[in-house]
Amino acid sequence: MSPPGTPNHSHDFNAEMQDIIVLFTPSKSGREIAQAPSICANEQDRITQDLKRRLIDAENDADIARKRLCRGRNNRTEGVAEVSPNFTVKELGVRARRQGRKFVILCSPWLALGDGDVESFFTTELDDNYDEEMRFSGGEDEVDERQGQLRKSIDILPDDLEPFRTRPWLAKSFVDGMKSQCSNTHTRLRKHALQHILTDLVTVPTPAPNAASRSTPVPDAAAPEPVTPAQLASSTSRFRHFAVRIGWREDKQKYSIWHVPFLHGNESERLDYNQLFRHSLLLMVFTCIIRGAAAAEGVMGKVSQHSKAKTMQKMFNITSTTPGAIAACAIWVIWLFSADKSFGKVGDVTGINYYDHFNLYLEKILEGLRLRQRWVRELFLYWDGHVFPEWNGARFGGGVDPDDDDEREELAEATAALHDMPVVSDDDEEGED
DNA sequence: TACTCGATACTGGTCTAGTA
DNA sequence: TACTAGACCAGTATCGAGTA
């Protein structure tokens, strides 16, 4: 067994490095700053090795079934902490939980579980034949999608947790973190941040829909500006004021996936890749999530407030936008203005399949990146320029089976339009660098 | 001391397995 | 089949750390 005592290791190495580097004043030379990571990395390696050794000890003990204790509420680390007093619950569960939070913010609000549970997700073997282009091929078992997510989840796991990826306690803590993050975002967007978001929100008047033969409550498409909290106060008022802007098609009595004004910078009613995912709401939601409720104000003026408190951005050293973050923010915006009361894969009131919509949005962004299309390059420049102006530029970010003809048609239309978008030539790219 | 924000305990509803 | 206890889930309230 390892000796008593556990290193204080409560946040990520990257975040630690960020904090350290920020401490350097401009008077420090580039060489001094460049040397800092290697100095700290040596210390980090030592701590990591120690941590790994203790984890192995704890896990060996945890495998003895009789030692396991009953599981308590909100305790996802049974079988580990109680049999290894040298290893606290915080060091195991908290770290895994944090990665779950990070995953929701930067990758996806949901895991592609298919017919399995979260443990089977993390015990899934990496498939060497996995093809990223097939990630959203639409298989019902979500195997390809899971492979894509699995790679992302491994990417964000710290090195010292990665060897324990297949352990049940890690899976449960990870998902706990995911749920907690979704829960926090729900409360933040609908409660704490709403006033800040509405302060800077200027919407474009939307033409009224064809009002012929209405059998259901009809949203008021031409809602007066600016948006007020009262309009968002209830499920019915949200539907009345914003349904059209989140894609409600009166003629088809359903929500569109792509023709969504609140996803377009110019609130276009038709899909326009040059404006897609550029609405200020998406950027405000993202800053709310990573930087706190008050950060929504000023983001479009590139003067979003950085809280002095510990924020997700600081904790996870978030310095650029990711495809998953953009797609997730699109979902959060639609949900925020929807009649839905709870946040889930499928809207409890609207029936919107947020999970499918998220995958479709992510698919198009990734496809645009893969095809080196200009619209997606400029999208990341736009996001990073507004959300991370201090970091100077973008890093370029880092299937669904439609259930009816309308969605198939809309999807085919979106795909055709995507393939018509101009691409970036090598010469253009060199010019940008 | 006030403020912000992440973490977590708590609450109420739902689901499920076990039992009579 | 009905009942019950426990587990689970989503959302909310509160606490505590960090900062000016």
Side-chain angles (χ1 to χ4, degrees), chain A residues 9-12 71-77 88-106 108 111 118 122 153 156-158 161 164 167-184 312 315-316:
Chain A
H9 202 230
S10 60
H11 63 290
D12 291 345
R71 175 179 175 179
R73 195 182 187 88
N74 294 322
N75 175 14
R76 311 300 191 199
T77 52
T88 67
V89 171
K90 287 183 180 177
E91 286 180 349
L92 295 173
V94 169
R95 281 180 71 76
R97 270 180 70 96
R98 282 191 177 161
Q99 301 317 309
R101 289 178 173 277
K102 186 177 180 181
F103 188 82
V104 167
I105 295 171
L106 298 179
S108 169
L111 292 176
V118 64
F122 281 97
S153 66
I156 69 167
L157 274 186
L161 275 182
F164 306 96
R167 303 299 197 274
W169 58 264
L170 187 141
K172 287 170 182 170
S173 294
F174 191 94
V175 167
D176 263 359
M178 289 184 69
K179 288 175 182 172
S180 182
Q181 183 58 38
C182 285
S183 183
N184 282 344
M312 290 295 181
M315 286 172 61
F316 299 130

Side-chain angles (χ1 to χ4, degrees), chain A residues 50-284:
Chain A
D50 188 48
L51 200 54
K52 279 183 179 177
R53 195 171 62 247
R54 292 169 194 282
L55 266 167
I56 292 167
D57 290 345
E59 291 244 329
N60 288 339
D61 276 354
D63 283 340
I64 303 172
R66 61 184 162 76
K67 284 191 175 181
R68 292 179 188 158
L69 301 178
C70 292
R71 175 179 175 179
R73 195 182 187 88
N74 294 322
N75 175 14
R76 311 300 191 199
T77 52
E78 74 275 22
V80 178
E82 66 273 18
V83 297
S84 179
N86 297 336
F87 231 118
T88 67
V89 171
K90 287 183 180 177
E91 286 180 349
L92 295 173
V94 169
R95 281 180 71 76
R97 270 180 70 96
R98 282 191 177 161
Q99 301 317 309
R101 289 178 173 277
K102 186 177 180 181
F103 188 82
V104 167
I105 295 171
L106 298 179
C107 303
S108 169
W110 304 286
L111 292 176
L113 299 179
D115 294 330
D117 57 16
V118 64
E119 288 182 25
S120 64
F121 175 90
F122 281 97
T123 54
T124 301
E125 291 294 325
L126 286 176
D127 181 1
D128 293 338
N129 296 320
Y130 166 70
D131 181 356
E132 176 68 23
E133 291 189 32
M134 297 300 290
R135 175 170 174 180
F136 299 103
S137 56
E140 287 183 6
D141 54 5
E142 299 177 334
V143 167
D144 292 313
E145 195 186 326
R146 195 180 315 150
Q147 284 290 326
Q149 285 196 351
L150 198 56
R151 282 162 170 75
K152 279 293 172 193
S153 66
I154 292 172
D155 281 348
I156 69 167
L157 274 186
D159 289 345
D160 53 350
L161 275 182
E162 202 282 329
F164 306 96
R165 172 174 65 85
T166 58
R167 303 299 197 274
W169 58 264
L170 187 141
K172 287 170 182 170
S173 294
F174 191 94
V175 167
D176 263 359
M178 289 184 69
K179 288 175 182 172
S180 182
Q181 183 58 38
C182 285
S183 183
N184 282 344
T185 303
H186 174 288
T187 305
R188 182 172 300 176
L189 293 183
R190 282 256 165 96
K191 300 260 183 189
H192 307 140
L194 195 56
Q195 187 58 59
H196 296 290
I197 289 174
L198 298 186
T199 296
D200 275 10
L201 179 60
V202 178
T203 65
V204 178
T206 308
N210 183 349
S213 64
R214 289 167 176 162
S215 57
T216 55
V218 174
D220 177 6
E225 271 64 42
V227 176
T228 65
Q231 294 172 343
L232 285 140
S234 69
S235 177
T236 51
S237 65
R238 285 196 296 274
F239 179 80
R240 183 167 185 272
H241 290 101
F242 303 110
V244 169
R245 300 179 198 207
I246 62 168
W248 174 254
R249 305 288 293 270
E250 180 66 16
D251 52 342
K252 296 182 176 177
Q253 292 288 299
K254 63 184 293 187
Y255 288 89
S256 171
I257 301 171
W258 299 101
H259 309 312
V260 181
F262 267 4
L263 294 187
H264 290 77
N266 59 357
E267 297 197 9
S268 166
E269 290 181 81
R270 302 291 300 173
L271 172 63
D272 175 0
Y273 279 110
N274 289 318
Q275 291 291 325
L276 188 62
F277 305 132
R278 290 194 181 207
H279 199 288
S280 59
L281 281 167
L282 276 71
L283 284 82
M284 287 194 279

Side-chain angles (χ1 to χ4, degrees), chain A residues 83 105 124-125 139 155 190 295 333 341 391 402 407 411 425 430:
Chain A
V83 297
I105 295 171
T124 301
E125 291 294 325
D155 281 348
R190 282 256 165 96
V333 166
K341 294 171 183 173
W391 290 92
E407 288 191 6
L411 185 56
S425 70
E430 283 169 13

